Amino acid sequence: MSKRKKIAKKIDVDYLAQLGNLTLSKKEKSLYEKQLGKAVKYIKILKEIKTRGVEPVAQVTRLENVFFPDQVDKSLTQKQALSNASKQRKGYFVTQRIKWE
Amino acid sequence: MKKLNELTIVEARRGLQEKRFTITELTKACLEQIKKTDCKIKAFVTVCEKEALKTAVKYDQVLGKNLKIYEKKPLFGIPLAIKDNFCTKGIKTTASSNVLNNFVPPYNATVVQKLLEAGVIIIGKTNMDAWAHGSSTETSDFFTTRNPHDLTRSPGGSSGGSAAAVAAHQVTAAIGSETAGSIRQPAAWCGIVGLKPTYGRVSRFGLIAMASSTDSPGTLTKTIEDAAIILSVLAGKDPKDATSNPTPGKNYHQEITRPIKKITLGVPQEYFLPKMDKQVTAVVKKAIKELKSSGFKIKKISLIDPKYAIAVYTIIMRAEVSSNLGRYDGLRFGFSRKAFGQEARRRIMMGSHVLSAGYFDQYYLHAQKVRALILKDFKKAFKEVDAIVAPTSPSVALKIGAAAKDPLFGEMQDVLVEASAMAGLPGISLNCGWVNNLPVGLQIFAPQFQETLILKIAHQYEKNRA
């Protein structure tokens, strides 16, 4: 395998950190690159199993269309909901400004 | 004679009803054992001493007036520990993560609510792998719990604190949660009983989510009967958890005393791994022989090699972890995402990888298809046999430090329980012998919602050994 191909196969930890909203140190980056590479190598074992025509399963007890009755139920009070907030103002959570550039 | 903190739920209830001791004495005995032993074992993140004693005094007065209270409140005055990923109103709930080190839930998990209504006394919250990510409690952001049978070894995980607390007689029983192995493996390593009910049998509302498609609350107890008593309290539909199952729960304690019909137990050859500890294999094979001589029919069966379940589990669990941990923004509760430990970071990134564009079909979708094949495989096996028995873990408790060497440590340790967890099957682990003074676990699992059957088989085995 050429060096270029090897690089292309490396896991893009910067991209994954961005998707997970995580900040990584330089040391973490190289560590995770290696460790995630090892994990990905292991899960490739599943290629040995043929799944043509198999329907995927996400809900193992096969429940479908579970609805709530459409009625008002008890819920937390505003004070309770805000009890763990890092910052609050006039009964609201204070968040950072969200801006797309 | 047993000390009060060493009693089982059944024994404690009897003693309380016969007025041989009080709820306060029972609670104090547990708290004293914690004071004496927890500096070494480190099973608890939070101990609720004051509140527990206050409730105990109050309950003693109630019990004095009404001995029949156990008909309505089967766990009245029983000291219980709860894994720190179940929300407890007014009691700090951390999931052993720095992200939640300041989180005091304003509500109870359904499991906690049901236990309180049944009369338990919450002694404290137990240590775990942070977010339940691991099989040794070594990923806890706070400290590592030690195995009461050998303090240089791990109690297993992620419900390691709960398992160690029960094994060290710090509490009468404890609550844990399992995604794939987190109840059964620590139960095996600590020599106690671990019951993981069918997915959906017990509500997940208020349980800090790891992998929502397999998370199952369950019990860590000293006996099978105790597991049956707690499950009777916890089982049932919860409108707050859409995946909780409408099939009604039962009085499992009553059920297990009924006579058992002719049962065939399957022994999957693939679950005796070639690299497994030979002494563990020998102990489990001996236990299977004991089951045979006590009247069970034993049949060799073949299942999909568990090595594939490791890969299916790794993909699906990490995908769900990356999604579930997305909610922690440090604004509404908890600290910011900077506080995530290494294991959580690894799992979030791996999950994002298998779900990301270009890899979704190759990994996540494919894994969900193999999961369908695993379900089919079990369905086929259960046409031939009623339940399946196998070792719970490929080894006895490992030395502290073993987890740090392998980024897939948890998945590898739980190899023998992952397939059944991915299929949502109920399973139990109970002690079946010892290797070098360390306990070995035998697991029994059955088709979905057959908790009664596995409890009956386990109860019969426990009785025959006693």
Side-chain angles (χ1 to χ4, degrees), chain B residues 204-245:
Chain B
R204 293 183 293 114
F205 178 76
L207 165 66
I208 294 168
M210 179 182 168
S212 308
S213 77
T214 65
D215 285 349
S216 308
T219 61
L220 293 129
T221 56
K222 293 173 190 175
T223 62
I224 302 296
E225 270 189 289
D226 284 4
I229 292 171
I230 306 180
L231 181 63
S232 309
V233 169
L234 300 183
K237 170 84 186 159
D238 176 15
K240 291 174 181 159
D241 172 6
T243 58
S244 68
N245 209 273

Side-chain angles (χ1 to χ4, degrees), chain A residues 12-73:
Chain A
D12 188 349
V13 281
D14 284 322
Y15 174 59
L16 294 178
Q18 190 200 335
L19 285 177
N21 195 11
L22 299 169
T23 332
L24 304 183
S25 68
K26 227 177 178 181
K27 207 174 145 195
E28 274 183 306
K29 267 184 210 169
S30 70
L31 177 73
Y32 294 151
E33 204 165 62
K34 217 167 86 188
Q35 289 177 331
L36 293 182
K38 196 177 164 189
V40 167
K41 199 172 156 197
Y42 186 82
I43 59 174
K44 284 193 173 151
I45 184 182
L46 278 193
K47 278 188 182 166
E48 293 168 16
I49 297 194
K50 301 276 169 278
T51 53
R52 217 171 157 182
V54 177
E55 280 294 313
V57 167
Q59 215 289 331
V60 290
T61 56
R62 314 278 177 165
L63 292 179
E64 277 179 27
N65 299 334
V66 181
F67 297 112
F68 271 122
D70 190 12
Q71 59 195 34
V72 180
D73 206 351

Side-chain angles (χ1 to χ4, degrees), chain A residues 11 13 15-17 19-24 28 31-32 35-36 38-40 42-51 54-63 66 68 76 80-81 83-87 93-96, chain B residues 102-104 106 199 213 237 239 242-246 307-308 310-312 314-315 330-333 337 340 342 345-346 348-350 352-353 363 365-366 368-373 375 406-408 412 422-424 448-449:
Chain A
I11 300 234
V13 281
Y15 174 59
L16 294 178
L19 285 177
N21 195 11
L22 299 169
T23 332
L24 304 183
E28 274 183 306
L31 177 73
Y32 294 151
Q35 289 177 331
L36 293 182
K38 196 177 164 189
V40 167
Y42 186 82
I43 59 174
K44 284 193 173 151
I45 184 182
L46 278 193
K47 278 188 182 166
E48 293 168 16
I49 297 194
K50 301 276 169 278
T51 53
V54 177
E55 280 294 313
V57 167
Q59 215 289 331
V60 290
T61 56
R62 314 278 177 165
L63 292 179
V66 181
F68 271 122
L76 297 178
Q80 283 174 321
S83 61
N84 282 281
S86 58
K87 276 186 198 163
F93 292 104
V94 176
T95 71
Q96 282 176 331
Chain B
N102 62 351
F103 176 52
V104 180
Y199 173 76
S213 77
K237 170 84 186 159
T243 58
S244 68
N245 209 273
K307 71 182 181 192
Y308 297 110
I310 299 177
V312 172
T314 303
I315 294 168
L331 295 171
R332 294 157 303 144
F333 52 86
R337 298 178 75 76
F340 275 124
Q342 270 204 9
R345 286 162 179 257
R346 260 201 303 263
I348 292 170
M349 289 197 291
M350 179 75 175
S352 303
H353 178 65
Y363 294 126
L365 193 66
H366 185 59
Q368 295 284 48
K369 288 179 182 173
V370 180
R371 187 182 201 177
L373 293 177
L375 274 154
D406 186 357
L408 286 180
M412 296 298 176
M422 292 314 294
Q448 289 179 356
F449 301 104

